[in-house]
Amino acid sequence: MSDIKAFQDFLDSSVSAFHATDNMQRMLEAHGYQRLLEHEYWNLERGGKYYMTRGGTTLIAFRVPEKVSYGFMMSACHTDRPTFKLKENCELRGIYTRLATEGYGGMIISSWMDRPLSIAGRVMVETEKGVERRLINIDQDLMMMPNVAIHMNRSVNDGYKWNPAVDTVPMLGGSDDADKFWPLVEQIAGGKILGHDLFLYARQKSSVWGIDGEFISGQALDDLACAWGTLQGFLNSQTTEAIPVLCAFDDEEVGSNSPQGAASTILEFTLERICGALDLDIHQMLAQSFMISADNAHALHPSHPELADKANAPILGKGVVLKFNAAQRYTTDGISASVFRQVCQKANVPLQVYTNRPDIKGGSTLGHISLTHVSVPTADIGLPQLAMHSCYETAAVADVRNLVAAMTAYFNSTIELMGTGYIMK
């Protein structure tokens, strides 16, 4: 279980997108990857291992083979999760001291009630040398969103409509605690704060549970489970004659329209810079490249099986999920499905499929967004999970391992085009 304990440590310490990216960065550096800065010249060497970040929440890593005969073997996931962001002027005074928040993404609000919460993210601190970015995590049970008693809200079990302007304002302290929050943050940050991106997170640690320990629950399984699985597969794989590229984007939960989102030019420009430094033709490379978009999938719910498409409903513990949608909100088609099926065969990993029930509108992910800038065949995959967008989600231990195995096989592979088909090696 050491691999799952390592995954739990990653989950529990990735209390914001900033911390998740920082954790991934440190794992890459431990494996010999060198950081590149966007504003500097890139001198790439054959056999080199590199990564770059943007905004502190998006990361792209790649390896340069000694010989490049094929295109890019890419994967993409996201580092963010539905949560609440602190407003700029957030401290509210009154009988209690509270903090004003704004919803980030489509969360299940009820899951945030009546549980210890805290704050984590990025602050910009004024120093003698300039303004520095610092990550903070207030590592204590700091606040809570209390429910109204059922005696005063008799409709709470009958489809109560939460009001984000009223119900999701966490209690921080009593009336005497006004003006204590920002001094605490500045003490932890080590200086005067000029800007901040701070988010709430649930304090409950991840848990492996079930009669045989088959399930795992925790914060942000969507999509840190895929961030973990793709990263471990990337690190475990051997160098081939293709260029492996690992992408972890931010802001997927709010549409990806940011400088560090999948709708930005970050991946496109990074691939162009790689090709320029190695004297490769970008268009020729992309013509023989592939992308896996990894974002979790809805598992068959034990109490509500009627919400699933009966023939295409994945089950926890039964394998990685290949996702389909006729409107291309999931980008998998016949070609990309055949590629990923061969990957799973190579890894001896079970594979399931998912489509929405036709009369229930589903979500989307970053694959079809990144395609607008980097247009390559793409398979949308993920782990089956329950309670997606709750602050405490559930998946299967076996599927975490299945994804690592599948992504290791993927990054160990190359795709050679031949006429109207391809050969996977």
Side-chain angles (χ1 to χ4, degrees):
M1 291 290 287
S2 61
D3 58 331
I4 299 303
K5 178 60 169 62
F7 173 51
Q8 287 184 267
D9 291 342
F10 172 69
L11 273 183
D12 294 340
S13 62
S14 297
V15 289
S16 74
F18 297 99
H19 291 80
T21 304
D22 189 61
N23 285 334
M24 296 177 75
Q25 175 179 323
R26 286 190 281 106
M27 282 186 273
L28 286 163
E29 289 178 349
H31 283 76
Y33 284 77
Q34 175 186 342
R35 184 175 184 178
L36 302 171
L37 300 178
E38 280 195 278
H39 65 274
E40 294 182 348
Y41 175 77
W42 289 5
N43 182 22
L44 305 183
E45 297 179 356
R46 300 283 177 164
K49 302 191 289 187
Y50 305 96
Y51 78 93
M52 54 86 68
T53 64
R54 181 185 288 181
T57 53
T58 285
L59 178 148
I60 298 177
F62 61 93
R63 293 194 297 268
V64 179
E66 295 291 343
K67 179 183 178 182
V68 180
S69 303
Y70 306 99
F72 299 103
M73 296 294 284
M74 297 178 283
S75 72
C77 62
H78 65 89
T79 59
D80 60 323
R81 82 291 298 270
T83 180
F84 296 89
K85 185 176 183 181
L86 286 192
K87 291 187 176 181
E88 191 67 18
N89 296 314
C90 62
E91 191 171 286
L92 303 176
R93 304 179 186 183
I95 297 174
Y96 303 104
T97 301
R98 301 187 298 163
L99 295 181
T101 66
E102 186 174 7
Y104 175 93
M107 76 291 293
I108 300 176
I109 291 178
S110 61
S111 69
W112 289 83
M113 311 300 289
D114 302 325
R115 66 170 70 220
L117 308 171
S118 194
I119 296 290
R122 171 183 65 184
V123 294
M124 304 304 294
V125 177
E126 185 177 37
T127 72
E128 293 180 357
K129 298 180 180 180
V131 179
E132 294 183 3
R133 184 202 78 151
R134 294 177 183 171
L135 300 189
I136 69 164
N137 170 21
I138 303 180
D139 190 14
Q140 69 181 78
D141 295 345
L142 186 68
M143 62 188 71
M144 192 174 294
M145 297 177 185
N147 253 307
V148 173
I150 195 169
H151 312 80
M152 304 168 189
N153 183 11
R154 296 289 184 180
S155 65
V156 69
N157 294 324
D158 301 320
Y160 178 70
K161 183 175 177 59
W162 303 96
N163 184 340
V166 176
D167 296 312
T168 60
V169 183
M171 284 178 58
L172 178 70
S175 59
D176 295 337
D177 295 314
D179 300 321
K180 290 184 180 180
F181 176 70
W182 286 113
L184 172 63
V185 175
E186 291 190 337
Q187 178 185 355
I188 294 172
K192 181 181 179 182
I193 295 174
L194 299 181
H196 63 88
D197 296 287
L198 296 175
F199 298 85
L200 273 61
Y201 73 93
R203 293 281 293 166
Q204 185 175 355
K205 300 296 186 182
S206 61
S207 174
V208 172
W209 58 280
I211 194 165
D212 289 320
E214 61 265 52
F215 303 121
I216 182 168
S217 296
Q219 62 171 334
L221 286 175
D222 173 24
D223 191 34
L224 294 187
C226 287
W228 172 264
T230 54
L231 175 60
Q232 296 307 306
F234 180 80
L235 294 174
N236 292 343
S237 63
Q238 304 298 312
T239 300
T240 67
E241 293 183 16
I243 298 179
V245 181
L246 172 83
C247 306
F249 296 108
D250 189 16
D251 296 317
E252 189 275 342
E253 298 294 358
V254 291
S256 296
N257 292 304
S258 70
Q260 57 274 359
S264 74
T265 56
I266 183 173
L267 177 57
E268 177 185 8
F269 287 178
T270 299
L271 299 181
E272 288 179 354
R273 294 186 73 171
I274 294 171
C275 289
L278 301 176
D279 195 27
L280 300 170
D281 183 276
I282 180 68
H283 303 292
Q284 185 178 6
M285 288 289 289
L286 289 177
Q288 51 184 342
S289 296
F290 194 84
M291 169 74 84
I292 285 180
S293 170
D295 197 358
N296 280 358
H298 300 291
L300 182 71
H301 196 282
S303 300
H304 293 282
E306 75 281 0
L307 299 177
D309 186 276
K310 292 182 179 180
N312 300 280
I315 298 171
L316 297 185
K318 300 299 183 180
V320 180
V321 178
L322 188 59
K323 302 189 288 185
F324 295 85
N325 179 258
Q328 287 291 287
R329 292 173 72 83
Y330 304 132
T331 60
T332 312
D333 60 11
I335 295 174
S336 60
S338 68
V339 169
F340 192 68
R341 284 191 168 103
Q342 285 194 303
V343 166
C344 290
Q345 290 172 9
K346 186 176 181 180
N348 194 27
V349 164
L351 181 65
Q352 308 181 82
V353 296
Y354 173 81
T355 61
N356 296 317
R357 212 178 88 162
D359 57 344
I360 298 178
K361 183 179 179 180
S364 63
T365 184
L366 43 80
H368 77 291
I369 296 174
S370 67
L371 282 180
T372 60
H373 292 281
V374 179
S375 301
V376 299
T378 302
D380 266 297
I381 72 163
L383 297 186
Q385 74 161 83
L386 297 171
M388 187 176 289
H389 290 196
S390 168
C391 72
Y392 205 73
E393 302 168 320
T394 295
V397 168
D399 292 329
V400 176
R401 294 183 171 130
N402 284 330
L403 181 60
V404 172
M407 293 308 301
T408 302
Y410 171 73
F411 282 120
N412 275 331
S413 302
T414 58
I415 295 176
E416 179 181 355
L417 298 178
M418 44 166 285
T420 58
Y422 65 88
I423 300 174
M424 174 168 282
K425 300 179 180 179

